Amino acid sequence: MTRMSNRIPDEKVELIRRSSDIVEVISDHVQLKKQGRQYTGLCPFHGENTPSFSVSPDKQLYHCFGCGAGGNVFSFLMELEGLSFIESVKQLAERANIELPDFRSNETVSSSDSPQETMRSAHELAAKLYHHVLTLTEQGGQGRDYISERGFSREQIEQFQIGFAPDRWDALTTILSKRGFSLDVMVAASLLGKRDSDGGHYDRFRNRLMFPIWDGQGNVIAFGGRTITDEKPKYLNSSESPVFHKSKTLYGLHLARPLIRKEATAVLFEGYVDVIAAWGAGVKNGVATLGTALTEEQARVIRRNAETVILCYDSDKAGIEAAFRSAGILEPAGCTVKVAQMPEGLDPDDYIRTYGAARFVSDVIGASLTVMAFKMRYLRKGKNLQNEAERMRYIEDVLAEISTLNRAVERDHYLRQLADEFSLSLDALKQEQFQIFRAQRNKLKHSSEQKRTQVRKSFEPKKLLPAYQNAERLLLAHMMRDVEIADRVQGRIGGAFNVDDHQAIAAYLFAYYGEGHLPNPSQFIQGLQDEKLVRIATELAMLSINEECEEQELLDYMRQIENYPKRVEIKQKELEMKHEQDPVEAAKILMKINRMKQELH
Ligand SMILES: [Zn+2]
């Protein structure tokens, strides 16, 4: 193994930064709308329903007014995907088609790799091995038989990189070991197991059809393995690892994302096999959770990409309940939710194999209902509505559901529907619904109050800043945009900013201009290293200030900054004077105070 440099030359980094438009890169993850000179969208770093995340194409920076996240195109990927700086540079280099010549390829390891990077490389290698075994080797024969029985096409196998883990204990172990991967790290990555008896390593997946699971960028980070025999469990998934977090991952997202964004609609399935089957049927905006209930984090990822979500779950009792639960998470996240219709007892994959692609598209996806309509249909099940008692129970159940709807027009719509269907008085229904609503509200009051205080805590508005701090912030904002102003500040107050972070930013800025750079906030923050400084500098660069800085304004800021330590000292002396018993001493202090006050300007 050759050792490669772990440093990318600065000019290369700069070239990659300049070639990567921040609006385009962020648009891969966040739906942005143009608003004046900025773009705004829902912040990917905290949950919100109204956009406070803003991206400036001029400055090539992003900043969230809600949670304070901010930085340039590299920081965005580092923060969003948990990448190292080098990983973010590599990703953008690839995107911009810029070669990093003396950089090692993906699938060998070097001692300088982070464990996460090593794990991703190993998964990539494993996915290639399994795919090769399935498509090209004798050992993959059983897998191929199973695949053709299931009716997966060549395109599906390629698109989803389906593979086969041979029925051996050491197929992957041998390859990983030959390539220099630490086998213990591979155990932590959930690719291998380790025997207690002799500490030897073995393949975790054997004799299974293998489905790679990717992160949002298309890196393989885990596998789902389906048995082709009667072995239990039927599906064996990778365990949680430093690169694989089930609660954050949506299967198929990087493949479906372009279409999801284009149509502003995502179809959410319960399993990856459903995603693959639906893709084969022409529904190519599908994603799936990975054997766990939908989480708020996943709902946020979906909301960033889509406005409408169609839930396409199994039509058994568990599937229906899961659909209600998911709707309860997606709606508060700001999604419009619909529920696809499927005959009792089928899952999407069964349905497509039984009825074909065209009917899946028109009768299942195309006939999706609103959540309320779906609930009404569900509540009806097994009830004989000719029977008066059962009918009344049904109506009460529906009224209870209507009471949970937030919008008056929606409530009105379903109340009318109910009144029409059972020839009831609309007013009477409204009254009854309101009573139910009141009872529900009293019951919920306590728990929702608790929730609200929690929310408030995390979104505390910025405190009003003292004048000298504001002056420092505005002055730095001007200095970042204008070399001449920076020069004048350096000449007069040097680094005498009162807030430590401001002092540090000023020092970096003087050094940056000293190297002959022109004002460029995105390039400037590249050199800051410290995450807190990056955030603060970004926020300052994004402040909306007068581009023209009047002479007087500039002088005012500098005076505020210079006077602050003197004012602090005067306050101290005044306190001293108050406590001084000896009148002569007190008079001396007063004279000193007066002198100091004269020095203020
Ligand atoms: Zn935020």
Side-chain angles (χ1 to χ4, degrees):
M1 209 181 315
T2 47
R3 258 200 81 76
M4 299 281 180
S5 149
N6 205 22
R7 266 195 65 81
I8 305 170
D10 288 346
E11 315 83 73
K12 209 71 187 193
V13 171
E14 195 37 34
L15 174 67
I16 293 162
R17 196 188 58 72
R18 271 188 279 119
S19 318
S20 310
D21 180 46
I22 195 163
V23 175
E24 275 178 31
V25 172
I26 294 184
S27 291
D28 285 349
H29 305 269
V30 181
Q31 220 173 6
L32 293 175
K33 287 207 173 85
K34 191 153 203 268
Q35 220 164 44
R37 287 168 69 177
Q38 318 260 72
Y39 288 79
T40 57
L42 296 173
C43 177
F45 303 113
H46 81 273
E48 61 174 11
N49 292 331
T50 46
S52 48
F53 181 78
S54 118
V55 184
S56 159
D58 306 338
K59 296 174 190 128
Q60 290 290 306
L61 294 173
Y62 68 95
H63 173 64
C64 172
F65 295 92
C67 68
N72 65 10
V73 71
F74 299 123
S75 352
F76 180 80
L77 289 179
M78 288 162 71
E79 203 166 344
L80 189 78
E81 313 251 327
L83 303 181
S84 66
F85 173 64
I86 294 194
E87 287 169 323
S88 72
V89 174
K90 278 206 261 179
Q91 200 180 103
L92 288 171
E94 215 166 284
R95 192 192 152 95
N97 241 331
I98 294 171
E99 246 183 283
L100 292 175
D102 54 1
F103 236 69
R104 59 180 179 273
S105 82
N106 255 344
E107 286 139 33
T108 54
V109 256
S110 132
S111 52
S112 55
D113 277 335
S114 70
Q116 282 93 324
E117 202 169 346
T118 308
M119 287 176 184
R120 281 189 278 265
S121 309
H123 274 94
E124 201 63 52
L125 182 63
K128 281 192 183 149
L129 167 73
Y130 294 144
H131 187 64
H132 175 81
V133 170
L134 177 73
T135 49
L136 295 170
T137 70
E138 206 173 306
Q139 295 178 68
Q142 270 184 296
R144 283 196 296 276
D145 291 345
Y146 180 81
I147 283 270
S148 62
E149 221 172 277
R150 291 284 300 221
F152 283 143
S153 68
R154 186 84 222 162
E155 288 78 38
Q156 280 164 307
I157 295 170
E158 287 308 318
Q159 172 81 0
F160 294 94
Q161 285 292 298
I162 302 172
F164 186 70
D167 196 8
R168 284 173 49 192
W169 291 87
D170 62 351
L172 183 62
T173 309
T174 308
I175 288 189
L176 289 174
S177 162
K178 263 192 205 151
R179 301 276 184 114
F181 286 92
S182 149
L183 298 189
D184 285 333
V185 172
M186 296 301 103
V187 174
S190 198
L191 284 171
L192 304 183
K194 191 173 183 173
R195 275 188 298 270
D196 286 337
S197 53
D198 61 353
H201 296 85
Y202 60 88
D203 289 14
R204 193 158 177 265
F205 295 99
R206 298 174 308 277
N207 205 22
R208 282 174 183 270
L209 211 56
M210 298 299 288
F211 299 89
I213 293 165
W214 302 268
D215 63 15
Q217 289 318 297
N219 300 303
V220 183
I221 51 169
F223 286 99
R226 192 204 189 282
T227 181
I228 54 165
T229 61
D230 291 333
E231 200 190 333
K232 299 276 180 238
K234 191 165 151 199
Y235 288 97
L236 177 68
N237 288 345
S238 301
S239 315
E240 292 274 315
S241 79
V243 289
F244 178 45
H245 308 285
K246 277 184 198 148
S247 63
K248 288 186 184 168
T249 310
L250 284 164
Y251 177 78
L253 180 65
H254 75 294
L255 297 170
R257 188 159 44 209
L259 195 65
I260 290 178
R261 305 187 69 86
K262 195 167 150 227
E263 300 189 343
T265 301
V267 183
L268 182 60
F269 295 98
E270 282 184 294
Y272 42 79
V273 176
D274 295 332
V275 173
I276 299 170
W279 188 87
V283 176
K284 300 190 173 178
N285 53 344
V287 294
T289 47
L290 294 156
T292 48
L294 184 76
T295 63
E296 283 178 32
E297 269 171 312
Q298 288 165 329
R300 279 208 293 276
V301 172
I302 295 174
R303 178 63 189 95
R304 287 208 303 269
N305 292 283
E307 276 158 26
T308 302
V309 182
I310 299 172
L311 297 172
C312 191
Y313 284 9
D314 297 359
S315 61
D316 56 4
K317 190 160 178 289
I320 289 167
E321 277 164 12
F324 287 150
R325 222 176 16 245
S326 296
I329 293 171
L330 288 163
E331 280 176 338
C335 296
T336 302
V337 182
K338 289 182 166 181
V339 188
Q341 287 305 296
M342 213 139 38
E344 183 108 38
L346 287 184
D347 65 32
D349 180 35
D350 295 333
Y351 185 96
I352 292 165
R353 276 190 287 159
T354 314
Y355 298 104
R359 281 190 61 185
F360 179 70
V361 172
S362 63
D363 297 1
V364 174
I365 301 296
S368 316
L369 299 171
T370 65
V371 176
M372 186 61 215
F374 179 70
K375 278 184 181 165
M376 284 167 80
R377 184 177 283 204
Y378 174 70
L379 292 170
R380 245 188 150 95
K381 246 183 223 156
K383 287 199 182 86
N384 173 9
L385 298 184
Q386 305 305 318
N387 173 310
E388 184 167 349
E390 287 193 31
R391 186 168 66 233
M392 287 320 289
R393 215 178 72 219
Y394 169 73
I395 292 169
E396 267 171 32
D397 287 349
V398 172
L399 286 176
E401 287 300 337
I402 291 176
S403 302
T404 65
L405 295 173
N406 282 325
R407 293 168 56 223
V409 273
E410 258 186 298
R411 288 196 300 270
D412 198 64
H413 171 80
Y414 292 108
L415 284 171
R416 273 175 207 283
Q417 198 173 313
L418 209 56
D420 279 353
E421 185 175 359
F422 298 101
S423 313
L424 298 166
S425 135
L426 183 62
D427 283 340
L429 277 180
K430 272 187 178 161
Q431 233 168 29
E432 174 123 17
Q433 183 263 315
F434 185 67
Q435 271 168 9
I436 294 174
F437 171 72
R438 253 205 324 236
Q440 281 176 348
R441 192 185 49 189
N442 288 337
K443 219 162 75 190
L444 282 174
K445 213 170 184 181
H446 187 67
S447 65
S448 69
E449 255 163 26
Q450 269 179 335
K451 216 176 194 174
R452 222 174 299 141
T453 46
Q454 274 169 7
V455 170
R456 208 175 297 137
K457 229 195 234 156
S458 51
F459 293 104
E460 232 172 322
K462 264 216 179 85
K463 287 182 223 92
L464 277 177
L465 296 172
Y468 76 95
Q469 285 193 26
N470 268 328
E472 294 190 0
R473 286 161 54 87
L474 290 166
L475 195 57
L476 282 170
H478 282 294
M479 287 160 65
M480 261 187 252
R481 287 165 220 210
D482 191 329
V483 192
E484 218 173 289
I485 294 180
D487 277 348
R488 293 186 50 198
V489 173
Q490 191 174 19
R492 173 150 169 190
I493 65 170
F497 286 79
N498 298 292
V499 177
D500 287 347
D501 291 331
H502 295 166
Q503 210 174 83
I505 291 171
Y508 276 112
L509 194 59
F510 295 145
Y512 172 81
Y513 288 140
E515 284 163 13
H517 293 298
L518 293 172
N520 180 331
S522 174
Q523 186 183 19
F524 167 61
I525 67 160
Q526 196 51 57
L528 289 180
Q529 322 269 330
D530 181 78
E531 194 194 328
K532 189 172 167 216
L533 291 185
V534 167
R535 283 180 171 222
I536 296 172
T538 304
E539 190 192 345
L540 296 179
M542 300 278 276
L543 279 180
S544 52
I545 53 171
N546 261 337
E547 294 297 331
E548 302 280 297
C549 186
E550 299 283 332
E551 180 68 17
Q552 194 53 46
E553 192 185 341
L554 201 60
L555 289 173
D556 278 346
Y557 293 147
M558 290 197 277
R559 255 203 303 264
Q560 291 264 19
I561 295 168
E562 286 175 323
N563 283 343
Y564 176 72
K566 294 180 193 163
R567 286 189 203 280
V568 173
E569 218 187 321
I570 291 172
K571 278 253 163 60
Q572 254 164 8
K573 289 277 174 221
E574 281 172 344
L575 216 65
E576 234 175 81
M577 188 178 76
K578 239 170 97 184
H579 294 288
E580 184 55 68
Q581 308 282 328
D582 182 344
V584 179
E585 284 302 312
K588 275 189 195 161
I589 299 175
L590 180 62
M591 273 170 61
K592 215 174 191 170
I593 292 174
N594 287 336
R595 239 193 345 264
M596 283 163 67
K597 279 191 176 161
Q598 275 163 15
E599 275 171 27
L600 290 180
H601 35 245

